[in-house]
Every structure is written in structure tokens, then in C-alpha cells.
Amino acid sequence: MKSAIKNRELVPESEAVVPVSIREVFFNFSVYESIKVLKGAAVFLEDHLGRLFDSAHRLEIPNPFKCEEIADLVYKLIHHDAIDRATLRIQLIGGSSPMLFIFYTDLPHYPIEYYRDGIRVITYEGERVIPEVKSTSLLLNYVALREAARRDAFEALLVDRWECSIEGTRSNVFALQGNTLITAGAGVLAGVTRKHIIESAKKIGLKVDYTCLRVHDLKGKEYDEVFISSTSMGAMPVSHIDGICISRDFEKTLRIHELVRNLEREYVDARTVQ
Amino acid sequence: MKSAIKNRELVPESEAVVPVSIREVFFNFSVYESIKVLKGAAVFLEDHLGRLFDSAHRLEIPNPFKCEEIADLVYKLIHHDAIDRATLRIQLIGGSSPMLFIFYTDLPHYPIEYYRDGIRVITYEGERVIPEVKSTSLLLNYVALREAARRDAFEALLVDRWECSIEGTRSNVFALQGNTLITAGAGVLAGVTRKHIIESAKKIGLKVDYTCLRVHDLKGKEYDEVFISSTSMGAMPVSHIDGICISRDFEKTLRIHELVRNLEREYVDARTVQ
């Protein structure tokens, strides 16, 4: 039986519940993080907790939980359930008595072909509310990803009012042209993997151009390579947008991907050696 | 102790809970209705259930509950808890096993001065996701209404990308000019009270112009009267937007309000005589 953390207690997962009638539950006044667990290590936990606290701060969710306290609760759950690999979710719900939950699901498995051949994505019109914040206001993401699955695609790129795509339903969006990595600057979620991608790109001598990516340019093959990123995906190359083949060359994307995975391995090794 | 409905069962309200780890709970894949209960009658229940089913249909939430079944459950709760006056919430959460909840809170009380003097509203930039659907994706509404309260205002009008306001955080928006009632047509939530307002306006000889209201015009005193509407408010006159006095004359608004309240009373009388 799986366990979970509810506030400061370890409970059976079935007891990690919220009353629907609490206003903050009903209004989705809540922020979260998804963290990869590898060999029992919560990868880049400090970065994720930093962003969780930033999201809570931006929404002015009063947060009675300390960073170290949440980190301890994360490892309490990992050790109790002997979790080796998983996606861990930390959710903080606002209100007069903020509630903290930590629970986990299977780590998604992406076939090697996704990285070799690239993936198919669709475009989907819509903007997440307060995109700088990782909130559970995810209705748009739910319906956009469902539409992607129906059209046999792996992800949906959300298209904003300016015809740009700053994010997918569970990813950040990047393009490569010559020696430049291009990605949105302002108004975008400060992805933890995004940060590592930018670092890795600089390591291989790329410049970074913080510009919004226009869907017209993405579909018009204006870029050498296009990829999406997330904690679970790393850097995943995109071959098709709305059925249009945009690239078959993923060389730089895969070099970045390898460097990001190395950072992950280094983190896990340092943590498991301790 | 208050009760609630969870799926088809009457339970103590404390047991109307959802596991946070269910994907549809986490992603807010859920629709709802707020219904006024007066003298134990769920006012315009049929209209609200019609809209609930429409919202579920638009989001493609598979809905195993029948309309009559939900109506019976509503009255099961009203009778069990001997509810005289309340705001009742019906929430339907999607997924492979959709969940139905019915619970209630106090009916808000609005002082008579609100109708006599008008209320203050602020404007707040943002668009609800899929505004035609009454979903619980309400983070924007939460933060906008909080900002209104901080600025001593009763409501926040959401301002969309076209600088128009089609809705407040819990209301529809209307203006009156000469013999015309003006309100957004497309892309707007089909408010139950909105429908009665349009009916009532026609009764007093007004034409209806379905046009989006521009914030610039609302604040620029381009209209004789401006008001907002909801199930609990009826038609509530607006005196100030962002601190600017836009009107002191609420004559037509209050005539419409009275007609809407009459429709409510007629519904309640018909129901309680049965």
C-alpha cells in the first residue's frame, strides 16, 4: 500500500484527501512541483523547493512549512515506501490553514525512438493563468493534452494571443538556429530543467536569445531544431508540428539532452554516496 | 453537523473529500453550479442542471448521473438538513469514475445600500480558461476578488485581451444606454440570472445589444447605468470602477432587479405550494 504525506504526517495514500467544500480547494488556490526520484534521490530537490516557495510567494499563499522541513518529509516518504524511481508531487494548498501533500506516481517511460526520431506535437490555442506560477489551475493543460493524444501526438504547444508558444502542457519550448538557443524570456515558468538546458547550451558554446517563439516560424521550418523540455523528458526533439515535418536533425538537441542527464546523474551520485 | 452528497450517498460534510492524487482532481477537470436555496426550494434547479450538463458536455466529462437523479439528491440533502436558505454547490469531477458532490454554504447577505448607492468594482487583467464553461478553474477569480477586497471593492471585472469585460469573478456584466441593454454575446457563460435579466429587460421595453463592453467606455461614463448580475446578487448597480464614479442613477437596473426577484419568488411559491 502506497503512503503519502499530509501536512506533517505520513499517511496511507487513501487518506491524502481534501474536503471539496474548502474555498481554496474549490478555487484551486494551490501550487505544486513534480520531482523525479532516481535511486531513491529526489533530483534537484532544492531547486524544486525554491520554485515551490516562489510560486507560493507570487500567489501570496501563507506558507507555514519550512524548506528543510518539506525536504525531510520528502525523504521520510521515500524511505518509508522504499521508492527507487517515481515522479513525486508536492502540493501546497492556500487558505487560512494551508495544506501540504506529497504523493507519487510512476515515472513516465519514454521509448528511445522519441529521442532518435523526434516526437509529434500539436498546437493548441490558450494561455495558462499566471504562467510564471506552477499552479494546479491545469484545466487547459488537461484538455490540450487530451486533444494531442487523440491526434496521436505526444504534447500540445499552447499558443498565446500573440501567436507564440512559450510552453507545452507539461514542458518548456526551445529552438536552435546556428549557434543560438532561442526560448521565451519573460512571462514563462522558471523550469528547473530549462535552467539546466540553458547552462548546457552555454557549455557547448551556444548563445541564448530570449525571444518568444512564433508558431508561424516553428511550423515554417525557420529553425534547425526544435525541442521541448521537462523534468521527466530532459530535452526531447520535435519532428512534427500539426503533422508538418519540421526537422530530422536533432544533433544539438541530443548533445544538450546528454549534458542535462549528466547533471542529473551527478546529482544522484553525490546524493547516494552520502 | 452539516451533511453533503458524495456520489449517490448522503454523508457528513467532513466525508465529502477527494484524494489529491487523482489526476482529474489535481488538474481541476471539474464543473459546478451555485444554486440559491430559498424556503427550502432550489431556485431554478432545472436551469442550473441544464447548464451543468452543458458544461460537462463541452469538456467531454462522461456523466453517469441523470438530471432527475441529481435533482432528487439535491432535495435529499435539503430535506435531511432542513435547509431553508443557503448557497448550494453541485460539483462534477471528470475522469474514468466521475464524482458528484453537493454541499452548501451560507447565502451571502448584501446590504440594502449596495442596491441604493451602487457598488465599487475594480478592473483586473485576465481571462478565464474556456469562459463558456462553469469550471472550477478559478485561480484567476480567487486572486482578482482578493485584490478587489484589498481595494475596498465588491467585485473585480476581468479585462480580456481586447480590453473588454465580459464577466466579473462571480458575475456577468451589463450596461444600459437609452432603451438598450448591452452585454457580451459570444464567448460568455450562459448565466441563469443573465437569462432572466435579458427577459426582464425585454419586458420593460428594452432592446438587447449583444456587444462586448469596453473598459474604456465603462470607465468613460459612456453608459447611463452599469450593473453586474449573479444568482445571489440579482442585478446589482455599479457606482464606481477603479475609483471613478460612473453613475448615480440606477433606475432601470433596479426595475430589472425587481423583476428578476419576482421570477425567483414565483418559482419558490410554485415549488413550496406543491
Side-chain angles (χ1 to χ4, degrees), chain B residues 36 110-112 114-116 118-119 154 171-176 181 193-194 196-198 200-201 204 225-238 250-262 264:
Chain B
K36 191 191 261 191
Y110 304 125
I112 190 79
Y114 284 18
Y115 296 93
R116 189 188 66 200
I119 49 135
F154 175 77
S171 57
N172 285 113
V173 186
F174 297 84
L176 288 157
L181 175 75
T193 302
R194 171 184 154 90
H196 297 139
I197 281 171
I198 291 169
S200 302
I204 61 169
E225 303 180 34
V226 173
F227 66 91
I228 59 176
S229 79
S230 79
T231 290
S232 61
M233 300 168 199
M236 188 174 275
V238 174
F250 312 125
E251 188 245 330
K252 287 201 180 77
T253 298
L254 295 179
R255 280 177 67 196
I256 291 170
H257 177 71
E258 206 39 58
L259 289 172
V260 168
R261 287 292 191 240
N262 282 346
E264 220 173 74

Side-chain angles (χ1 to χ4, degrees), chain B:
Chain B
M1 200 179 63
K2 282 165 89 174
S3 308
I5 298 288
K6 179 176 182 176
N7 296 324
R8 292 171 176 92
E9 303 299 324
L10 191 77
V11 297
E13 196 195 50
S14 58
E15 292 178 20
V17 295
V18 285
V20 289
S21 55
I22 288 185
R23 186 161 187 269
E24 283 72 21
V25 171
F26 191 77
F27 277 72
N28 306 143
F29 190 57
S30 136
V31 293
Y32 78 104
E33 285 297 316
S34 291
I35 304 175
K36 191 191 261 191
V37 178
L38 291 177
K39 295 186 187 172
V43 183
F44 305 127
L45 179 60
E46 302 73 14
D47 287 339
H48 285 285
L49 290 177
R51 186 171 61 180
L52 183 76
F53 278 64
D54 181 61
S55 291
H57 179 73
R58 284 171 186 257
L59 289 187
E60 299 175 54
I61 293 180
N63 180 1
F65 301 95
K66 292 200 174 56
C67 212
E68 304 71 40
E69 192 180 12
I70 300 179
D72 288 348
L73 291 167
V74 162
Y75 278 103
K76 189 173 184 178
L77 176 61
I78 288 176
H79 293 147
H80 184 273
D81 279 23
I83 303 171
D84 181 54
R85 294 167 63 84
T87 296
L88 200 87
R89 290 237 161 97
I90 306 179
Q91 184 177 7
L92 178 69
I93 305 175
S96 54
S97 304
M99 290 179 283
L100 176 77
F101 290 94
I102 310 175
F103 53 97
Y104 61 98
T105 57
D106 288 344
L107 198 62
H109 169 73
Y110 304 125
I112 190 79
E113 296 80 33
Y114 284 18
Y115 296 93
R116 189 188 66 200
D117 304 333
I119 49 135
R120 290 167 179 268
V121 303
I122 63 164
T123 57
Y124 197 92
E125 254 182 61
E127 298 174 21
R128 208 155 51 79
V129 167
I130 321 174
E132 300 90 342
V133 168
K134 200 165 175 77
S135 77
T136 61
S137 217
L138 293 170
L139 174 63
L140 174 67
N141 304 50
Y142 188 96
V143 295
L145 187 56
R146 179 177 65 183
E147 180 62 20
R150 285 175 182 172
R151 288 165 57 190
D152 210 22
F154 175 77
E155 173 64 307
L157 305 187
L158 301 177
V159 179
D160 67 20
R161 63 190 72 182
W162 299 282
E163 300 283 320
C164 290
S165 185
I166 63 167
E167 60 179 7
T169 71
R170 60 203 199 283
S171 57
N172 285 113
V173 186
F174 297 84
L176 288 157
Q177 189 161 36
N179 276 321
T180 306
L181 175 75
I182 307 155
T183 191
V188 69
L189 186 70
V192 171
T193 302
R194 171 184 154 90
K195 187 180 84 170
H196 297 139
I197 281 171
I198 291 169
E199 272 175 38
S200 302
K202 287 178 180 170
K203 268 187 217 160
I204 61 169
L206 300 179
K207 288 181 300 181
V208 182
D209 178 6
Y210 293 100
T211 303
C212 289
L213 293 162
R214 291 173 50 86
V215 170
H216 180 266
D217 297 338
L218 288 169
K219 290 169 75 167
K221 307 174 197 181
E222 294 286 320
Y223 301 109
D224 303 334
E225 303 180 34
V226 173
F227 66 91
I228 59 176
S229 79
S230 79
T231 290
S232 61
M233 300 168 199
M236 188 174 275
V238 174
S239 64
H240 290 74
I241 301 180
D242 289 336
I244 300 165
C245 178
I246 55 158
S247 184
R248 294 268 182 216
D249 171 24
F250 312 125
E251 188 245 330
K252 287 201 180 77
T253 298
L254 295 179
R255 280 177 67 196
I256 291 170
H257 177 71
E258 206 39 58
L259 289 172
V260 168
R261 287 292 191 240
N262 282 346
L263 288 172
E264 220 173 74
R265 271 188 288 267
E266 281 165 23
Y267 183 96
V268 172
D269 289 348
R271 169 92 211 170
T272 46
V273 163
Q274 274 177 359

Side-chain angles (χ1 to χ4, degrees), chain A residues 224 230 241:
Chain A
D224 304 333
S230 80
I241 302 180

